[in-house]
Amino acid sequence: MTTPPTAGHNDGWEMDQLHRDEITVAMNWVIRTCQQIVRERSHKTFWAPAGTTDSTPTPEQLMQTAREDVLDKLLRIINGAQCVMKDIEHQRAKRKT
């Protein structure tokens, strides 16, 4: 951890630290979600679709399962992380003006 700048710049340093923390938390959620999906929905690093009892599921079944197992979860968490980044960018742009 770095030492905060001299008095007068502490507000900026504290805001920077808050932003670093928010970005780190958001990215940790993305990584954890990826890890969870791999643990729950993969076999030897390959996707193992849940809920398909057919030996040859239809493309429609695979698309639905892919969305439920992986894509929807990732999209939600990635969209959340993107919102955090956009909010930080907005706050930082306001601070510069």
Side-chain angles (χ1 to χ4, degrees), residues 10-75:
N10 282 339
D11 288 343
W13 183 85
E14 289 172 3
M15 186 62 71
D16 286 351
Q17 185 59 46
L18 174 66
H19 290 162
R20 281 190 288 273
D21 292 345
E22 289 175 337
I23 293 165
T24 300
V25 167
M27 295 312 301
N28 284 342
W29 275 108
V30 172
I31 297 301
R32 286 184 187 121
T33 300
C34 291
Q35 290 171 332
Q36 177 188 11
I37 289 169
V38 168
R39 270 192 316 274
E40 293 177 358
R41 300 291 180 220
S42 70
H43 176 70
K44 297 184 180 181
T45 69
F46 293 98
W47 175 49
T52 52
T53 55
D54 299 336
S55 59
T56 54
T58 66
E60 290 78 16
Q61 289 171 317
L62 285 176
M63 285 186 284
Q64 179 181 352
T65 303
R67 286 185 178 114
E68 291 171 358
D69 289 355
V70 179
L71 299 175
D72 291 345
K73 290 177 184 179
L74 285 176
L75 280 173

